[in-house]
Amino acid sequence: MRALIQRVNYTQVHVNGEVVGSIGTGLCVFLGVGEDDGTAQADKLWSKISRMRIFPDNQGKTNLSMQDVGGELMVISQFTLYADCKKGNRPSFTQAGDPHKANDLYQYFIGLATQAGLDVATGVFGADMKVRLENDGPFTIWLDTDYL
């Protein structure tokens, strides 16, 4: 699995002009599922994200986790994190997971965050979404379970 994580002041997801998800201070996670991914990868990725200390403490050092600051979580499906741009100018997405399996793992990941007691908002899997966010920092991190 792959995730692009952004520390945000807010995030909103719109589908067909309607807000379907919104958070304040927290993390926006763009989540991609690969063809060989399963629950073990989701568990590993959630474990890392949930404990990441990327929020500032009162000295301005990044020592606090999302839970330490009472942050919220936005999870947005993003199969394009598996874009292969080696050949030509049109990305290939053959390494992205089958949509049905990917949605199951997306929902599983959301369940892990919900079980942790976080306020979780989401996009709509497979929808054409418009995402508005304010990146705080900016602070953006790329994670791939193959390298965790």
Side-chain angles (χ1 to χ4, degrees):
M1 292 183 94
R2 294 178 178 169
L4 182 71
I5 302 161
Q6 296 187 323
R7 188 178 74 192
V8 297
N9 292 322
Y10 73 86
T11 305
Q12 285 186 333
V13 178
H14 299 252
V15 175
N16 297 323
E18 300 291 324
V19 176
V20 297
S22 179
I23 66 165
T25 299
L27 295 178
C28 179
V29 176
F30 294 95
L31 184 68
V33 176
E35 62 185 349
D36 297 326
D37 289 336
T39 57
Q41 286 77 20
D43 291 339
K44 180 190 269 190
L45 187 60
W46 173 246
S47 178
K48 178 61 80 174
I49 291 170
S50 67
R51 295 179 290 126
M52 289 186 81
R53 298 182 313 159
I54 60 174
F55 290 88
D57 62 17
N58 54 8
Q59 282 90 35
K61 295 187 180 195
T62 53
N63 275 329
L64 303 176
S65 71
M66 179 175 37
Q67 292 170 324
D68 293 334
V69 299
E72 299 173 296
L73 181 70
M74 172 69 74
V75 184
I76 301 169
S77 62
Q78 186 78 40
F79 78 94
T80 60
L81 293 177
Y82 277 89
D84 181 348
C85 300
K86 291 178 187 168
K87 293 181 182 178
N89 295 317
R90 184 175 181 268
S92 168
F93 300 103
T94 59
Q95 295 176 11
D98 168 76
H100 180 71
K101 176 184 162 190
N103 187 28
D104 288 347
L105 284 172
Y106 171 71
Q107 297 301 329
Y108 178 81
F109 184 88
I110 292 165
L112 293 173
T114 303
Q115 289 172 9
L118 294 174
D119 289 330
V120 181
T122 67
V124 176
F125 186 90
D128 180 17
M129 295 175 272
K130 308 300 180 212
V131 180
R132 294 188 179 114
L133 61 85
E134 183 175 276
N135 190 318
D136 179 24
F139 208 110
T140 303
I141 294 175
W142 166 260
L143 295 175
D144 186 322
T145 54
D146 288 344
Y147 302 102
L148 292 181

